[in-house]
Amino acid sequence: MTSPIREQLDDPDDAVESGQRKMEWARQHMPIMAALREEYEADQPFAGQRIGMAMHVEAKTAILAEVLAAGGAEVAITGCNPLSTHDDVSAALDAVDGVTSYARRGVDDDEYYAAIKAVIEHEPTITVDDGMDLVAAIHEDYPELIDSIIGGAEETTTGVHRLRAMDEDGALEYPMFAVNDTPMKRLFDNVHGTGESSLASIAMTTNLSWAGKTVVVAGYGHCGKGVAKKASGQNADVVITEIEPRAALEAHMEGYDVKPMAEAAKEGDVFITTTGNRDVIVDEHFDAMQDGVLLANAGHFDVEIDLDALSDKAVDTYEARDGVQAYEMADGRRLNVLAEGRLVNLATPIALGHPVEVMDQSFGVQAVSVQELVENGEDYEPGVHDVPDELDKEVAEIKLDAEGVAYDDLTDEQREYMESWQHGT
Ligand code: RBV
């Protein structure tokens, strides 16, 4: 049985202090969380609720957990990726009143799922997931808890995709909000967050420049768009690979080179996968790559780069730097994989995840989704649901207010005009 992180660490007090400093920095830059905390502390909307969470346990996520606890919830949390936890933050979070954290960095598969079980043993009434591992474990191993679960919220594209597949199979037995699909999440976190933090993590991990590099971005969804845009902004030549004709055309019209991976593999200096699918860079591509390439994944799971095939091909493999594993081919070429092919913006040793400001928005949507479940959960059938648009707008309003940005209102005449079909030429 997994014990809370403070019982797992040699020096928990030191860890708590260091984690608290990181949390304080995040807290200072999260105005949406601050506004919600004030409201929740006064109203205690989550009193009596047990919230189970599986997310990247670092400073921003800790602020979300802390805010839910401030609203009266009992929170149990673990990681959603074996490499993205910051142990000090996990410890500081575990020390917060009403929160138990089981997250630890560097866990193996068994330990990862044991920690998820430890969270489920708190018998959550609400679940908050990033990637859907918690929902899956509850449905598979603890179906008896489903009746007492009001619902849940899912953070990421891959998780929503899995949930929809589960829903189509008729297997999803409680309501889930697709937080990822809201404008306040997807247009900021997926685009700017993934773009900025992936490039920052790769640059910091390798100490290499973007300027003059050919950067191959696999997938031109929201994440791919962000990575491509920011790489281009750092003076790299960007090549896009796609499987969807409209997305390929969109990338082409943005001015990027669009090519099949078999062609792109010959030219790239850096490869960043953002597809959410498996086997995007495989055996034949490794054969075509130049010496010294960097291979990084920015999709949720570590399935996009076929590391088994790469291992099989390698005559030698060694740690070239912290967070960089070199695979040497028989002909002497070295292909460098970052963060074991896991989410590069969160899983390298120096990774910090998305910037604080975008996570404030994403987690604002998470918090109001949890509140909606508590207040109106019985209105939602089992299945995947959009977060009510009004709630997403409220989060945007809090942010604009905090930024001091004013904007216009519709006049009554404009509203009438927009709502009528009679006005023509
Ligand atoms: N993400 N979290 C962070 N806490 O630092 N950074 C990124 C963090 C989330 C992001 O919202 C994305 O949808 C998900 O991680 C992918 O697992």
Side-chain angles (χ1 to χ4, degrees), residues 391-409:
L391 297 182
D392 199 50
K393 281 190 194 158
E394 276 172 37
V395 175
E397 281 164 11
I398 301 174
K399 174 79 182 195
L400 286 168
D401 193 37
E403 297 270 307
V405 177
Y407 64 110
D408 287 325
D409 280 330

Side-chain angles (χ1 to χ4, degrees), residues 56 58 60-61 80 130 155-157 180 185 189-190 300 343 345-346 352-354 359 362-363:
H56 303 293
E58 55 66 63
K60 286 94 68 186
T61 308
C80 67
D130 182 331
E155 170 80 6
T156 203
T157 315
N180 179 74
K185 200 277 183 182
D189 172 314
N190 300 31
H300 185 77
L343 268 176
N345 61 330
L346 283 144
L352 297 170
H354 286 7
M359 293 319 294
S362 305
F363 291 159

